[in-house]
Amino acid sequence: MPLTPLDIHNKEFTRGFRGYSEDEVNDFLDQVIKDYETVIREKKELEETVANLEEKISYFKNIEETLNKSILIAQETGEEVKRTATKEARLIVKEAEKNADRIINESLSKSRKISMEIDELKKQSSVYRTRFKMLIEAQLEMLKNDDWDSLNAPDNLEGYELQEVKS
């Protein structure tokens, strides 16, 4: 067991013939007691400082563990978000492709329908033109016919009486 300043102070030396000077020994012991008390006080302060530092180290180790866990969770979350975003992007692209295909198919269908309608209108126009041409030609034939000339002759008008139209 280590000595305390009180142990040093209370130490009694046996006296011998022509022993040490009692005043010198007491002065020296007083100096040793003071120094020893200072060393014990410093030791206590250092032990408290070490305890505080160990407590802080423990605290910072806990923070470090927490931060490492947080970083891992953040990395995992980031990867999950990235995977989810990639999946969503693929789904959006697939949906857009489906919509594009649908729009293209609808446009092609409408284009075919319009093309068929245009062809039908061309046919109808051609038929109408042919009929109209035939009608005009028939009318021209009638005009070229000699029967008109005989109608205009004055002698042919004598038998016809003009009748008044009553309204």
Side-chain angles (χ1 to χ4, degrees):
M1 184 164 162
L3 291 175
T4 64
L6 193 57
D7 291 336
I8 296 170
H9 182 44
N10 291 333
K11 177 69 178 167
E12 293 281 330
F13 294 98
T14 53
R15 297 193 187 210
F17 182 74
R18 297 191 75 161
Y20 295 107
S21 164
E22 194 174 325
D23 288 337
E24 279 184 40
V25 170
N26 285 338
D27 287 343
F28 182 74
L29 286 177
D30 286 341
Q31 184 62 41
V32 168
I33 289 169
K34 286 179 187 175
D35 290 347
Y36 195 68
E37 284 177 343
T38 303
V39 167
I40 289 175
R41 195 176 322 111
E42 287 176 355
K43 180 184 177 233
K44 196 177 216 178
E45 288 173 1
L46 289 173
E47 286 174 346
E48 288 176 6
T49 302
V50 167
N52 285 337
L53 291 175
E54 285 176 348
E55 196 175 302
K56 286 181 181 180
I57 287 173
S58 174
Y59 173 74
F60 286 120
K61 281 184 180 179
N62 286 338
I63 288 177
E64 181 183 23
E65 284 180 32
T66 304
L67 288 175
N68 285 335
K69 288 177 184 176
S70 296
I71 289 171
L72 287 175
I73 290 171
Q75 286 174 338
E76 290 171 1
T77 304
E79 290 297 320
E80 183 63 29
V81 166
K82 190 176 174 183
R83 283 191 295 273
T84 303
T86 302
K87 285 179 184 177
E88 285 182 25
R90 287 182 184 146
L91 289 174
I92 290 170
V93 168
K94 283 183 181 181
E95 187 66 29
E97 287 173 349
K98 286 179 185 177
N99 283 341
D101 288 343
R102 180 185 53 79
I103 290 169
I104 288 171
N105 289 336
E106 287 176 1
S107 296
L108 287 173
S109 175
K110 286 180 182 178
S111 172
R112 287 185 195 116
K113 184 178 177 184
I114 290 171
S115 179
M116 289 171 54
E117 288 176 1
I118 288 172
D119 289 343
E120 183 62 29
L121 287 173
K122 283 179 181 179
K123 287 178 188 175
Q124 288 177 5
S125 171
S126 177
V127 167
Y128 175 75
R129 184 172 183 242
T130 303
R131 286 183 181 171
F132 191 64
K133 184 178 176 183
M134 289 172 56
L135 176 67
I136 290 176
E137 286 175 353
Q139 294 296 318
L140 280 173
E141 274 305 310
M142 283 177 57
L143 287 174
K144 288 180 184 176
N145 194 345
D146 291 336
D147 293 340
W148 284 99
D149 292 336
S150 64
L151 287 176
N152 285 333
D155 53 334
N156 286 343
L157 293 175
E158 290 177 4
Y160 295 101
E161 289 183 25
L162 291 177
Q163 296 178 354
E164 223 176 275
V165 178
K166 294 182 182 177
S167 320

